[in-house]
Amino acid sequence: MANSNKKYRILISGGGTGGHIFPALSIANALKKRLNAEILFVGAENRMEMERVPAAGYRIEGLPVAGFDRKKLWRNFGVLLKLRRSLAMARKIVKDFKPDIAIGVGGYCSGPTLKAAQKAGIPTLIQEQNSYAGVTNKLLAAKADKICVAYDGMERFFPAASIVKTGNPVRKDLTERSKDKIEAAASFGLNPDRPTLLVIGGSLGARTLNESLEAGLQRLTDAGIQVIWQTGKNFGDRAKKVAKGIKGTVVTQFITDMAAAYAAADVVVSRAGAGSISELEILGKPCILVPSPNVSEDHQTKNAKALADVGAAILIPDNEAADKLIDNVIDLMSDKEKRNEMSKKISELAIPNSDEIIADEVEKIIGSK
């Protein structure tokens, strides 16, 4: 294990979405509690990690890296130039910081950072959150000391000897500040005795979820269902017009207290990002997953299918949601036995304290070098 008297330098790279940033911060916090460590983050310029990481008390360096445009290939000349510059910057960060280990949690910046670390002989750990591995992690895997995964069967993508199943870290406030349904419903001005639906589409919102709710809100209300509708910033005004005068519907662009929102909900409708799924597993929430079609390798569908195949979630393809989502919500709300069974099955997939398990692996690596 790690030497308690030594000060370690830990480099953590990743971001682009909350699904990458929250696990990265959870891992950093777990390491900070148990090690004398200086932690430096590397993110992508102009992405949300450049605000969220400093707000959590950590230093971050930004790279100009960007993702490849698979539809408009002519735009990728500029992307390649940014990648080349990012690789040079990552080499300098590694050289100056001299980390004992580099941890990659996914996102555009993980590639250049961990590649630079591996070339410099620095141990690396990859955290792959999805059931279908991303291209960057597959390229980095051969030289990674450890690959932390959340799903079975990941030897399809990675060397089996390097894999450890750790699950995905979730925000601590979801479990540490859990509330009962009565208190949680009251915080939204809702009736705890009525069934409540939570719809979450991320910070930008999910167009399909929003439009399905827009078309079906009155049907949900007529069925006696209350709704907490998180629209994202692009749909808020439109949703408020639809919900005007409808009692038992809360419309908000962002939810600041997700612990309360989850506690109030009997059913959750969500995209199928790895972070969201891990939260639903830890909290044992019956859910309907509508995977985003706008992600690499269609990995959200594969995430959702891993749950749907064992009866832990209902999967509705994005192009079928307009016709099927509201009916499925009403049917599930009226079937308490099915909800209880789904809750049991999704809870069985949860791996609590993933951040601590990953921190254990980090300690093993740096303690052995």
Side-chain angles (χ1 to χ4, degrees):
M1 296 299 285
N3 182 344
S4 59
N5 295 318
K6 179 180 174 181
K7 181 159 188 177
Y8 290 96
R9 292 172 174 265
I10 297 171
L11 196 62
I12 301 179
S13 184
T17 66
H20 293 310
I21 297 166
F22 292 130
L25 289 172
S26 294
I27 294 166
N29 292 337
L31 289 168
K32 195 77 174 173
K33 278 191 287 186
R34 61 169 76 183
L35 293 175
N36 179 17
E38 181 181 352
I39 298 174
L40 174 65
F41 279 76
V42 179
E45 289 177 355
N46 303 316
R47 299 304 293 257
M48 63 191 295
E49 59 265 28
M50 300 308 291
E51 293 181 5
R52 296 287 178 87
V53 170
Y58 294 101
R59 188 160 64 94
I60 187 167
E61 300 274 357
L63 302 180
V65 65
F68 282 91
D69 191 324
R70 302 183 185 203
K71 294 179 180 177
K72 298 173 181 175
L73 297 178
W74 67 88
R75 292 184 176 176
N76 289 324
F77 179 72
V79 173
L80 289 170
L81 291 177
K82 287 181 178 180
L83 177 60
R84 185 177 176 182
R85 188 163 158 240
S86 295
L87 283 164
M89 291 172 68
R91 285 195 294 270
K92 186 173 188 310
I93 290 168
V94 169
K95 183 181 176 184
D96 292 347
F97 187 62
K98 299 180 177 61
D100 293 285
I101 189 169
I103 301 167
V105 298
Y108 303 140
C109 53
S110 258
T113 307
L114 264 69
K115 189 73 176 173
Q118 289 177 343
K119 283 200 166 187
I122 306 298
T124 56
L125 178 145
I126 294 169
Q127 200 244 332
E128 173 56 63
Q129 293 145 16
N130 294 294
S131 62
Y132 192 90
V135 173
T136 299
N137 281 349
K138 284 190 279 189
L139 292 172
L140 294 167
K143 293 185 178 179
D145 291 69
K146 196 62 68 177
I147 303 162
C148 298
V149 302
Y151 294 89
D152 293 323
M154 298 303 285
E155 58 276 0
R156 293 175 295 159
F157 309 109
F158 303 131
S162 303
I163 295 173
V164 58
K165 189 176 179 183
T166 62
N168 290 322
V170 301
R171 292 172 279 187
K172 286 289 187 187
D173 64 318
L174 295 182
T175 52
E176 290 175 351
R177 293 174 54 245
S178 60
K179 302 176 179 179
D180 63 26
K181 185 175 181 183
I182 294 174
E183 180 189 0
S187 71
F188 286 96
L190 298 174
N191 183 345
D193 296 324
R194 288 177 58 194
T196 300
L197 172 70
L198 169 63
V199 182
I200 43 178
S203 58
L204 297 178
R207 181 177 172 183
T208 300
L209 301 189
N210 284 332
E211 291 182 348
S212 297
L213 260 289
E214 181 181 44
L217 186 61
Q218 191 61 56
R219 286 186 59 209
L220 293 173
T221 302
D222 292 345
I225 298 169
Q226 300 177 131
V227 181
I228 302 171
W229 181 4
Q230 185 257 311
T231 65
K233 67 179 183 181
N234 297 328
F235 206 88
D237 292 340
R238 187 165 152 184
K240 283 178 181 175
K241 287 179 184 176
V242 175
K244 189 174 182 181
I246 298 180
K247 194 175 179 182
T249 296
V250 177
V251 174
T252 178
Q253 291 188 25
F254 305 101
I255 298 174
T256 54
D257 190 349
M258 280 304 300
Y262 279 127
D266 297 283
V267 171
V268 179
V269 169
S270 173
R271 288 305 201 186
S276 296
I277 286 178
S278 294
E279 292 177 356
L280 294 165
E281 289 173 348
I282 289 289
L283 298 170
K285 285 292 170 182
C287 59
I288 299 172
L289 301 174
V290 184
S292 170
N294 306 312
V295 294
S296 59
E297 281 102 15
D298 195 26
H299 68 253
Q300 285 202 9
T301 295
K302 297 174 178 76
N303 290 348
K305 193 171 185 301
L307 272 66
D309 285 350
V310 295
I314 294 170
L315 190 168
I316 299 179
D318 187 84
N319 61 2
E320 297 177 15
D323 294 327
K324 295 182 177 180
L325 181 58
I326 300 301
D327 286 339
N328 272 267
V329 169
I330 293 171
D331 289 346
L332 186 56
M333 282 293 194
S334 65
D335 191 340
K336 187 174 182 179
E337 187 176 331
K338 184 174 182 179
R339 292 202 311 274
N340 289 341
E341 184 64 18
M342 288 176 68
S343 179
K344 179 175 175 286
K345 288 183 175 178
I346 197 169
S347 294
E348 288 169 354
L349 300 175
I351 302 178
N353 302 316
S354 293
D355 53 346
E356 299 292 345
I357 300 171
I358 294 168
D360 287 341
E361 296 301 323
V362 172
E363 277 204 83
K364 289 175 191 174
I365 294 168
I366 61 179
S368 67
K369 298 296 177 182

